[in-house]
Amino acid sequence: MLAVLQLALLSVVALASPAPADLVNRDGIQSPFAGPPVAYYNPVDLGGTMFDNTGNGLGEPLNVIISGLSSPELIDGGLDGIVNYARAIGFSKECLDIHLGSPFSANLGDGHGAVNQTIELRQDYGSSEIGTCLESLIGGNHFRVYIQNGPLANSGALFLAVSKEEDVETGHDITPDGYNVGRDQLVAHAIGAKSFDDITYYTVAQNITGLMPAGSAGVNHGIAVDGIVTLLTVSVNARAE
Ligand SMILES: *[C@@H]1O[C@H](CO)[C@@H](O)[C@H](O)[C@H]1NC(C)=O
Ligand SMILES: *[C@@H]1O[C@H](CO)[C@@H](O)[C@H](O)[C@H]1NC(C)=O
């Protein structure tokens, strides 16, 4: 319990700590080592946005951030680290590794510019082998992952574009309110203690407002978002008591 409190406290401190601008030196180059580790940097401060780019002039909200203060098993664990955590909270790699849609890019304001998603994961309906095939057929929750690790804002945070889709027969589009609903479902699955492959993750959630605009302007499918971004801080080996 203490560890959880400390983590929660750490996230608050990180949010209140120097704005990215304070870490930019005279040459305008930000050193990732100039300050304490942070939960994330606001992409908008350095030319990015809180939406990905769906290629039609619109975007999906980056409505969940996994804090850069999370355990290195997840934040520095590369693709394997992300996939293992995703499995622990009910997602797996896309059905048969076949990607049905085109990749979307995002600019996290970290100096890398627009970068395609690192991976897309889908809700696995209880079976990490065939579950995602089911998801493609009956619809469900999925998310794309972007990593904020460029030279200007190297928080290591993972930005997720989470949405809930309709089933194949209805065109595999996002459900009404599918961004808010997708976020809340993912968060509900994630919080508390979750395990996969002998790793137990303890996840705490905190809502952030003011980072993303509410409404439907620029949002894919014209679906309004409530403007809430949920910050997840994930620790490995902290015990839920
Ligand atoms: C993303 O991937 C697509 C398809 O592979 C490619 O055409 C596009 O140039 C990539 N975009 C970026 C920003 O890397
Ligand atoms: C975040 O906001 C959503 C939507 O209002 C709400 O359902 C959820 O309980 C909130 N979570 C936290 C941790 O405050």
Side-chain angles (χ1 to χ4, degrees), residues 130-150:
I130 60 158
T132 50
C133 300
L134 264 178
E135 196 272 358
S136 292
L137 295 175
I138 65 178
N141 209 336
H142 73 135
F143 64 92
R144 302 166 195 276
V145 183
Y146 304 91
I147 308 177
Q148 188 174 54
N149 60 359

Side-chain angles (χ1 to χ4, degrees), residues 62-130:
L62 301 173
N63 46 10
V64 172
I65 298 174
I66 297 181
S67 168
L69 300 177
S70 299
S71 289
E73 286 86 345
L74 174 55
I75 287 303
D76 298 327
L79 265 189
D80 288 349
I82 296 170
V83 168
N84 202 74
Y85 178 67
R87 286 182 164 162
I89 67 170
F91 290 80
S92 37
K93 279 202 261 190
E94 285 195 88
C95 175
L96 307 176
D97 280 335
I98 295 168
H99 187 93
L100 301 174
S102 44
F104 295 162
S105 65
N107 181 351
L108 300 182
D110 62 359
H112 277 159
V115 174
N116 275 336
Q117 69 208 38
T118 298
I119 192 171
E120 178 170 352
L121 295 129
R122 293 174 178 277
Q123 194 169 31
D124 75 8
Y125 290 98
S127 155
S128 54
E129 295 309 319
I130 60 158

